[in-house]
Amino acid sequence: MEQMKKIQECLGPELGEMNEIIAGTLHTSNEMMNDIVTRYLKIKGKQIRPILVILSARMFGEVTQEVLLAGAALEMLHNASLIHDDIVDETELRRGVATINATMGNHIAVLVGDFFVSNALSAGIRTGDIRVISALSALGKELSLGEIDQICNARDHALDESSYFGMIRQKTASLFMNCVRMGAELGGASDADLNLLVRYAELLGLCFQIRDDIFDYFEDAQIGKPTGNDLREGKVTLPLLYALRTAPEEEARPMRDLLLGGDLTTADIERLIEFARRHGGIEYAYGRMREMQQEAEALIAPLPDTESKRAFTEIFDYIIERKF
């Protein structure tokens, strides 16, 4: 946590300017929209994604106005996806604050999410760089397909790691990948360096989602969702997938039957969580994250030892170790 705070402080001027771009871009003559947007922007998180844009540009060149616009565009698109996710998942709290759909209803929340998407594209166009616009377009498709894949996996009862990793790559890692792609391209990275940094970001994004999924196996009021929320929505994540694959068949079969039956009760969810934890699912998920972290560190090892490179390493540590 301290490492992340230092990175934020180090990038304070750039993040401040980027947030001014976001606020200015989202400003409108409509008083209701301005009020909703202003309140929403006050609860921004760590802003890891625009930080990745800025660090990637710094690693190979300068942080220009175009870089800040790209970071603003990605942050707005990310927030649009969160607003829409809250509607779909009927989430009432995000970062401990009532969601737009909880306070204003789904109709207005959808419109606010669409407003964020449109302004993300607007900021991208202001860069004057077709690569940024292309990345935003591709990212919008990947995020949507990732969510659809997740729904299909739940409906089809896809209980294999391959389906899970394919889904989280589109749903989560794609955003991290496009963050560093935009920043590195605008910073003047070579194709070789760009490719290795994008792969680094892919591994980072996969770990981010795995760590997020682990939260669901523990009670924690800070994260704004109850234990077992994923299972209530039909989402089977890595810890449980591992337990289903490795546990003795006489123990795994009843758990699969529960999942295939649908309409899980609270007692069913508690059984599934206990089963996953008892059979090493949490340890396995952490092990996979550490393996990916090692691969990621090997990828950027040949790059010059700069402050930006060290920040990438610290962000990876933060993502795996974060508590919320």
Side-chain angles (χ1 to χ4, degrees), residues 146-199:
E147 288 296 331
I148 292 293
D149 279 349
Q150 182 167 265
I151 292 169
C152 289
N153 287 348
R155 287 181 177 175
D156 298 339
H157 303 293
L159 301 178
D160 61 278
E161 288 187 23
S162 176
S163 297
Y164 169 79
F165 276 104
M167 178 271 295
I168 68 170
R169 183 191 181 280
Q170 286 191 306
K171 176 189 171 186
T172 303
S174 62
L175 186 51
F176 285 74
M177 294 162 71
N178 278 284
C179 285
V180 301
R181 182 184 299 281
M182 284 189 192
E185 284 180 339
L186 292 170
S190 66
D191 288 344
D193 287 343
L194 174 65
N195 289 336
L196 70 84
L197 202 62
V198 168
R199 172 58 180 164

Side-chain angles (χ1 to χ4, degrees), residues 210 214 217 238-243 246 275-287:
I210 292 170
I214 290 173
Y217 293 79
L238 191 58
L240 182 53
L241 289 172
Y242 171 77
T246 61
F275 168 76
R277 294 175 64 174
R278 179 161 44 87
H279 286 283
I282 305 300
E283 291 79 5
Y284 174 74
Y286 272 109

Side-chain angles (χ1 to χ4, degrees), residues 32 39 43 69 76 119-121 157 160 164 174 211 248 265-266 274 311 317:
M32 176 187 283
R39 283 188 283 113
I43 60 166
L69 282 165
M76 285 187 281
N119 281 287
L121 295 173
H157 303 293
D160 61 278
Y164 169 79
S174 62
R211 182 67 187 97
T265 65
T266 299
E274 190 276 332
D317 283 333

Side-chain angles (χ1 to χ4, degrees), residues 2 27 55 120 139 211 269:
E2 285 300 317
H27 185 75
L55 287 176
L139 179 57
R211 182 67 187 97
I269 290 169

Side-chain angles (χ1 to χ4, degrees), residues 50-289:
I51 284 174
L52 291 176
V53 177
I54 295 168
L55 287 176
S56 300
R58 259 193 180 185
M59 188 175 285
F60 302 105
E62 297 181 358
V63 179
T64 62
Q65 182 71 6
E66 289 71 28
V67 171
L68 297 177
L69 282 165
L74 279 162
E75 183 71 349
M76 285 187 281
L77 187 58
H78 169 58
N79 279 285
S81 72
L82 295 181
I83 293 168
H84 286 152
D85 283 351
D86 288 342
I87 298 166
V88 173
D89 297 338
E90 299 180 353
T91 304
E92 296 186 356
L93 288 176
R94 180 171 290 279
R95 303 186 189 109
V97 178
T99 57
I100 296 173
N101 51 290
T103 56
M104 305 297 293
N106 287 346
H107 186 183
I108 289 178
V110 168
L111 295 174
V112 174
D114 291 346
F115 184 68
F116 270 74
V117 172
S118 299
N119 281 287
L121 295 173
S122 173
I125 290 169
R126 285 165 61 193
T127 67
D129 195 312
I130 192 64
R131 296 172 300 180
V132 172
I133 300 166
S134 176
L136 287 170
S137 173
L139 179 57
K141 290 191 290 186
E142 286 220 68
L143 291 174
S144 298
L145 285 172
E147 288 296 331
I148 292 293
D149 279 349
Q150 182 167 265
I151 292 169
C152 289
N153 287 348
R155 287 181 177 175
D156 298 339
H157 303 293
L159 301 178
D160 61 278
E161 288 187 23
S162 176
S163 297
Y164 169 79
F165 276 104
M167 178 271 295
I168 68 170
R169 183 191 181 280
Q170 286 191 306
K171 176 189 171 186
T172 303
S174 62
L175 186 51
F176 285 74
M177 294 162 71
N178 278 284
C179 285
V180 301
R181 182 184 299 281
M182 284 189 192
E185 284 180 339
L186 292 170
S190 66
D191 288 344
D193 287 343
L194 174 65
N195 289 336
L196 70 84
L197 202 62
V198 168
R199 172 58 180 164
Y200 184 99
E202 179 180 7
L203 295 164
L204 186 67
L206 293 173
C207 286
F208 185 94
Q209 187 59 56
I210 292 170
R211 182 67 187 97
D212 206 48
D213 290 342
I214 290 173
F215 286 130
D216 207 48
Y217 293 79
F218 298 91
E219 188 68 52
D220 191 338
Q222 291 188 80
I223 62 174
K225 66 176 184 178
T227 294
N229 195 55
D230 287 337
L231 284 169
R232 285 185 179 86
E233 297 167 6
K235 304 170 188 174
V236 182
T237 53
L238 191 58
L240 182 53
L241 289 172
Y242 171 77
L244 290 169
R245 177 168 58 84
T246 61
E249 182 60 19
E250 63 269 19
E251 293 187 56
R253 188 185 303 111
M255 299 298 106
R256 280 195 292 269
D257 290 342
L258 278 179
L259 293 167
L260 295 173
D263 295 324
L264 296 171
T265 65
T266 299
D268 293 335
I269 290 169
E270 289 174 355
R271 284 183 65 193
L272 288 161
I273 289 173
E274 190 276 332
F275 168 76
R277 294 175 64 174
R278 179 161 44 87
H279 286 283
I282 305 300
E283 291 79 5
Y284 174 74
Y286 272 109
R288 288 300 303 270
M289 286 193 290

